[in-house]
Short mmCIF file of all heavy atoms in Angstrom, two decimals:
data_model
loop_
_atom_site.label_atom_id
_atom_site.label_comp_id
_atom_site.label_asym_id
_atom_site.label_seq_id
_atom_site.Cartn_x
_atom_site.Cartn_y
_atom_site.Cartn_z
N ASP A 67 -20.99 44.63 12.28
CA ASP A 67 -21.89 44.92 11.16
C ASP A 67 -21.71 43.85 10.08
O ASP A 67 -20.70 43.83 9.36
CB ASP A 67 -21.56 46.30 10.58
CG ASP A 67 -22.47 46.70 9.44
OD1 ASP A 67 -23.28 45.86 8.99
OD2 ASP A 67 -22.37 47.85 8.98
N PRO A 68 -22.69 42.94 9.93
CA PRO A 68 -22.54 41.88 8.93
C PRO A 68 -22.38 42.41 7.51
O PRO A 68 -21.67 41.82 6.69
CB PRO A 68 -23.82 41.05 9.08
CG PRO A 68 -24.79 41.94 9.76
CD PRO A 68 -23.98 42.84 10.63
N ASP A 69 -23.04 43.53 7.20
CA ASP A 69 -22.92 44.11 5.86
C ASP A 69 -21.50 44.59 5.61
O ASP A 69 -20.98 44.45 4.49
CB ASP A 69 -23.92 45.26 5.69
CG ASP A 69 -25.36 44.80 5.69
OD1 ASP A 69 -25.60 43.61 5.35
OD2 ASP A 69 -26.24 45.60 6.04
N ASN A 70 -20.87 45.17 6.63
CA ASN A 70 -19.50 45.63 6.46
C ASN A 70 -18.54 44.46 6.33
O ASN A 70 -17.62 44.49 5.51
CB ASN A 70 -19.09 46.51 7.65
CG ASN A 70 -17.71 47.09 7.48
OD1 ASN A 70 -16.76 46.72 8.20
ND2 ASN A 70 -17.54 48.00 6.53
N VAL A 71 -18.77 43.40 7.11
CA VAL A 71 -17.94 42.20 6.98
C VAL A 71 -18.04 41.65 5.57
O VAL A 71 -17.03 41.32 4.93
CB VAL A 71 -18.35 41.13 8.01
CG1 VAL A 71 -17.60 39.81 7.76
CG2 VAL A 71 -18.08 41.62 9.43
N ALA A 72 -19.26 41.55 5.06
CA ALA A 72 -19.46 41.04 3.71
C ALA A 72 -18.82 41.95 2.67
O ALA A 72 -18.21 41.47 1.70
CB ALA A 72 -20.96 40.89 3.42
N ALA A 73 -18.92 43.26 2.86
CA ALA A 73 -18.36 44.21 1.91
C ALA A 73 -16.84 44.10 1.85
O ALA A 73 -16.25 44.12 0.76
CB ALA A 73 -18.78 45.63 2.27
N ALA A 75 -15.05 41.48 2.69
CA ALA A 75 -14.73 40.19 2.10
C ALA A 75 -14.84 40.24 0.58
O ALA A 75 -13.96 39.74 -0.14
CB ALA A 75 -15.65 39.11 2.67
N ARG A 76 -15.91 40.86 0.08
CA ARG A 76 -16.09 40.95 -1.38
C ARG A 76 -15.02 41.84 -2.01
O ARG A 76 -14.50 41.54 -3.09
CB ARG A 76 -17.47 41.51 -1.69
CG ARG A 76 -18.63 40.58 -1.34
CD ARG A 76 -19.92 41.09 -1.98
NE ARG A 76 -21.09 40.38 -1.48
CZ ARG A 76 -21.92 40.87 -0.56
NH1 ARG A 76 -21.69 42.08 -0.04
NH2 ARG A 76 -22.96 40.18 -0.15
N VAL A 83 -13.19 33.45 5.65
CA VAL A 83 -13.23 34.46 6.71
C VAL A 83 -12.80 33.79 8.01
O VAL A 83 -13.45 32.84 8.46
CB VAL A 83 -14.63 35.08 6.84
CG1 VAL A 83 -14.68 36.02 8.05
CG2 VAL A 83 -15.01 35.83 5.57
N VAL A 92 -19.56 36.75 16.93
CA VAL A 92 -19.77 35.58 16.06
C VAL A 92 -20.97 35.75 15.14
O VAL A 92 -20.88 35.51 13.93
CB VAL A 92 -19.88 34.30 16.90
CG1 VAL A 92 -20.49 33.16 16.08
CG2 VAL A 92 -18.50 33.87 17.41
N PRO A 93 -22.15 36.15 15.64
CA PRO A 93 -23.33 36.19 14.75
C PRO A 93 -23.14 37.10 13.54
O PRO A 93 -23.55 36.74 12.42
CB PRO A 93 -24.45 36.71 15.66
CG PRO A 93 -24.01 36.33 17.04
CD PRO A 93 -22.52 36.47 17.03
N THR A 94 -22.52 38.25 13.72
CA THR A 94 -22.39 39.20 12.62
C THR A 94 -21.31 38.75 11.61
O THR A 94 -21.51 38.89 10.40
CB THR A 94 -22.07 40.60 13.15
OG1 THR A 94 -20.99 40.52 14.11
CG2 THR A 94 -23.28 41.19 13.84
N ILE A 95 -20.21 38.24 12.09
CA ILE A 95 -19.16 37.77 11.17
C ILE A 95 -19.63 36.53 10.44
O ILE A 95 -19.38 36.36 9.24
CB ILE A 95 -17.85 37.51 11.94
CG1 ILE A 95 -17.38 38.78 12.65
CG2 ILE A 95 -16.75 37.01 10.99
CD1 ILE A 95 -16.20 38.57 13.57
N PHE A 96 -20.31 35.66 11.16
CA PHE A 96 -20.88 34.44 10.59
C PHE A 96 -21.82 34.78 9.42
O PHE A 96 -21.73 34.22 8.32
CB PHE A 96 -21.63 33.71 11.70
CG PHE A 96 -22.03 32.28 11.43
CD1 PHE A 96 -21.07 31.30 11.28
CD2 PHE A 96 -23.37 31.92 11.35
CE1 PHE A 96 -21.44 29.97 11.07
CE2 PHE A 96 -23.74 30.60 11.14
CZ PHE A 96 -22.77 29.62 10.99
N ALA A 97 -22.70 35.75 9.67
CA ALA A 97 -23.65 36.17 8.64
C ALA A 97 -22.95 36.86 7.48
O ALA A 97 -23.29 36.65 6.31
CB ALA A 97 -24.70 37.10 9.26
N GLY A 98 -21.96 37.69 7.79
CA GLY A 98 -21.24 38.40 6.76
C GLY A 98 -20.48 37.48 5.83
O GLY A 98 -20.43 37.69 4.61
N ALA A 99 -19.87 36.43 6.39
CA ALA A 99 -19.13 35.47 5.58
C ALA A 99 -20.06 34.75 4.61
O ALA A 99 -19.74 34.60 3.42
CB ALA A 99 -18.42 34.47 6.48
N LEU A 100 -21.21 34.30 5.10
CA LEU A 100 -22.15 33.59 4.23
C LEU A 100 -22.67 34.51 3.13
O LEU A 100 -22.77 34.11 1.96
CB LEU A 100 -23.32 33.04 5.06
CG LEU A 100 -24.36 32.23 4.28
CD1 LEU A 100 -23.74 31.02 3.63
CD2 LEU A 100 -25.50 31.82 5.21
N ALA A 101 -22.96 35.74 3.49
CA ALA A 101 -23.46 36.70 2.49
C ALA A 101 -22.44 36.96 1.39
O ALA A 101 -22.80 37.21 0.24
CB ALA A 101 -23.85 38.01 3.18
N ALA A 102 -21.17 36.90 1.77
CA ALA A 102 -20.10 37.15 0.80
C ALA A 102 -19.73 35.90 -0.01
O ALA A 102 -18.88 35.97 -0.89
CB ALA A 102 -18.86 37.67 1.53
N GLY A 103 -20.35 34.77 0.31
CA GLY A 103 -20.04 33.53 -0.40
C GLY A 103 -18.69 32.95 -0.03
O GLY A 103 -18.05 32.27 -0.84
N ALA A 104 -18.25 33.20 1.22
CA ALA A 104 -16.96 32.71 1.69
C ALA A 104 -17.15 31.61 2.73
O ALA A 104 -18.18 31.56 3.41
CB ALA A 104 -16.15 33.85 2.30
N TRP A 140 -25.97 27.09 5.11
CA TRP A 140 -24.60 26.88 4.66
C TRP A 140 -24.53 25.69 3.70
O TRP A 140 -23.79 25.72 2.71
CB TRP A 140 -23.67 26.68 5.86
CG TRP A 140 -23.42 27.96 6.61
CD1 TRP A 140 -24.25 28.55 7.52
CD2 TRP A 140 -22.31 28.83 6.44
NE1 TRP A 140 -23.70 29.73 7.95
CE2 TRP A 140 -22.51 29.92 7.32
CE3 TRP A 140 -21.15 28.79 5.68
CZ2 TRP A 140 -21.59 30.97 7.43
CZ3 TRP A 140 -20.23 29.83 5.78
CH2 TRP A 140 -20.46 30.91 6.64
#
Side-chain angles (χ1 to χ4, degrees):
D67 182 353
D69 293 335
N70 184 249
V71 172
R76 291 193 191 102
V83 174
V92 164
T94 49
I95 301 173
F96 194 67
L100 182 60
W140 287 80

